[in-house]
Amino acid sequence: MLMTLLLLCLTGLVIAQSGGPYQITKSVIGGGGGRATGGTYALQGTNGEAIAGTRSNSGTFDLLSGFHSSAAFFAHGPLVVCDFDGDSKTDFSVFRTGTWFIQRSNAGLLTRAFGLASDKLVPGDFDGDGKADIAVFRENVDPSMNFWYVLKSSNGTLQIQEWGQQFDVPTLGDFDGDGKTDFAVFRPSASEWWIQRSSDGVTTVRVWGTSGDVPVVGDFDGDNKDDLTVFRPASANWFVLRSTNGTLLAQQFGASGDKLVPGDYNGDGTTDFAVFRPSTNTWFTSLNPATNYGAMVWGASGDVLVPGDYDGDAKNDLAVFRPSTGTWHIRRSSDASTSATVFGTNSDLAVPSVFVP
């Protein structure tokens, strides 16, 4: 599969006879997805024989730089939203009074009792295995202590982490770029972001925002790290603290009353500013006037927003969950086709909706 990807995506692939060399010219994404600057990568060796310091099996080589798939680094963190089976597709999933019902797109139905009805859902890839973990955020009796409960998909073990306090808002994201969701909260009373980096366990605290701002998570600069971002409803301004260089990105996009649906809608590996306007059921997913700012009517009054990549093309699809019928209505970005899938009931919480601030 990797070799097929190389043939389709790389600008040049030269294979000599047995014994090498193998030359890969330029990375898939300009700048190597932030980890390399492109250029030439050369592998020397014979098909099926390992090269010292690399992994090889029957001519398949894993390259650790020069390749970036936005399907692997979605706007809300290292995973496609709610991809519980690791196939780079968002799965239909609902939470019903303490039980998760997940229709995995590649592994069938999963039912798991985990959490309380009062818990906040925080699915993310906390163990770095490429699959979303079932997880909840629980406010403790002691207002100075909140707990995260994570059921790791890699080994089925339970992780309990104290992080946050009363009135904190969990903010799911990969802020250190290690492919794992970090324990992180936004503290509205002080406009503080409290992040425990999964890469080294270091705590970072940063003031970003002001009273009334809405915390948003996304990789707006395309470096595979989520950026601290707030949306100011009064002016419909987004304020992004770029993780690449610590500079400010400010963008006016949307209007008062809009719902925030940031995500990668064009497949370029960066989060796009995007809003949904309930008054007209319209999604605005582009800054480009030539495309009418990406305006598309999708949904109806009472629908719940559940954007995600349901077709696995590394682009967000327009998606809503209709509680009255338990139906998911998807407009696929891959071919503009539509689908309606019944999964859930009127009282269920659609899990992907927790990523809409």
Side-chain angles (χ1 to χ4, degrees):
M1 180 177 180
L2 180 57
M3 294 304 293
T4 300
L5 177 62
L6 296 178
L7 289 170
L8 290 175
C9 297
L10 297 177
T11 58
L13 178 63
V14 180
I15 302 178
Q17 61 184 3
S18 180
Y22 301 87
Q23 179 172 290
I24 301 168
T25 303
K26 294 189 182 299
S27 58
V28 178
I29 300 296
R35 285 183 167 81
T37 57
T40 299
Y41 301 84
L43 302 180
Q44 302 287 338
T46 303
N47 281 343
E49 296 181 6
I51 307 170
T54 67
R55 297 183 293 273
S56 173
N57 183 15
S58 299
T60 296
F61 296 89
D62 290 329
L63 302 181
L64 301 183
S65 64
F67 294 87
H68 169 63
S69 168
S70 55
F73 288 89
F74 180 68
H76 292 283
L79 274 178
V80 171
V81 166
C82 296
D83 175 16
F84 293 95
D85 54 7
D87 66 349
S88 297
K89 296 180 182 180
T90 300
D91 298 314
F92 300 117
S93 48
V94 297
F95 182 73
R96 186 180 306 160
T97 60
T99 301
W100 299 64
F101 296 87
I102 303 169
Q103 185 59 57
R104 295 171 296 183
S105 52
N106 196 39
L109 178 65
L110 172 66
T111 302
R112 184 61 57 90
F114 191 84
L116 306 175
S118 57
D119 289 343
K120 295 179 180 178
L121 308 187
V122 287
D125 186 9
F126 294 90
D127 54 6
D129 68 344
K131 300 178 183 179
D133 304 311
I134 293 174
V136 298
F137 175 79
R138 185 173 301 166
E139 293 187 351
N140 192 34
V141 176
D142 181 348
S144 66
M145 297 167 46
N146 286 340
F147 290 90
W148 301 61
Y149 296 84
V150 179
L151 183 62
K152 294 182 178 180
S153 56
S154 56
N155 56 20
T157 60
L158 172 66
Q159 178 181 2
I160 302 175
Q161 178 69 44
E162 178 192 341
W163 195 254
Q165 63 184 32
Q166 190 177 32
F167 305 125
D168 284 354
V169 179
T171 51
L172 290 167
D174 176 12
F175 297 94
D176 53 6
D178 67 345
K180 298 180 181 179
T181 302
D182 302 310
F183 296 105
V185 296
F186 175 75
R187 191 157 295 164
S189 60
S191 299
E192 292 175 340
W193 296 72
W194 288 71
I195 300 169
Q196 184 181 77
R197 298 191 308 224
S198 54
S199 57
D200 55 16
V202 171
T203 296
T204 63
V205 182
R206 180 67 187 259
V207 175
W208 190 253
T210 189
S211 179
D213 285 352
V214 179
V216 181
V217 177
D219 180 11
F220 292 88
D221 53 7
D223 66 346
N224 293 342
K225 297 179 183 179
D226 281 311
D227 307 306
L228 307 188
T229 306
V230 295
F231 177 77
R232 195 157 295 163
S235 59
N237 275 299
W238 305 64
F239 298 94
V240 180
L241 179 62
R242 295 186 181 99
S243 55
T244 48
N245 54 21
T247 60
L248 166 68
L249 169 62
Q251 178 67 53
Q252 196 284 329
F253 191 75
S256 180
D258 286 350
K259 294 185 177 181
L260 311 182
V261 287
D264 184 3
Y265 290 88
N266 58 11
D268 66 351
T270 63
T271 301
D272 302 309
F273 300 102
V275 298
F276 174 82
R277 192 154 297 160
S279 59
T280 59
N281 295 311
T282 303
W283 300 65
F284 296 89
T285 61
S286 171
L287 297 175
N288 186 358
T291 60
N292 193 26
Y293 300 96
M296 176 69 65
V297 176
W298 189 254
S301 178
D303 286 351
V304 176
L305 306 181
V306 287
D309 184 7
Y310 294 86
D311 54 5
D313 67 344
K315 299 178 183 179
N316 255 22
D317 305 308
L318 308 188
V320 297
F321 173 72
R322 191 157 295 162
S324 59
T325 60
T327 304
W328 300 65
H329 295 271
I330 314 294
R331 186 184 186 277
R332 299 185 183 93
S333 56
S334 56
D335 57 10
S337 65
T338 64
S339 66
T341 303
V342 176
F343 188 79
T345 66
N346 184 47
S347 59
D348 289 346
L349 172 62
V351 177
S353 70
V354 303
F355 290 94
V356 178

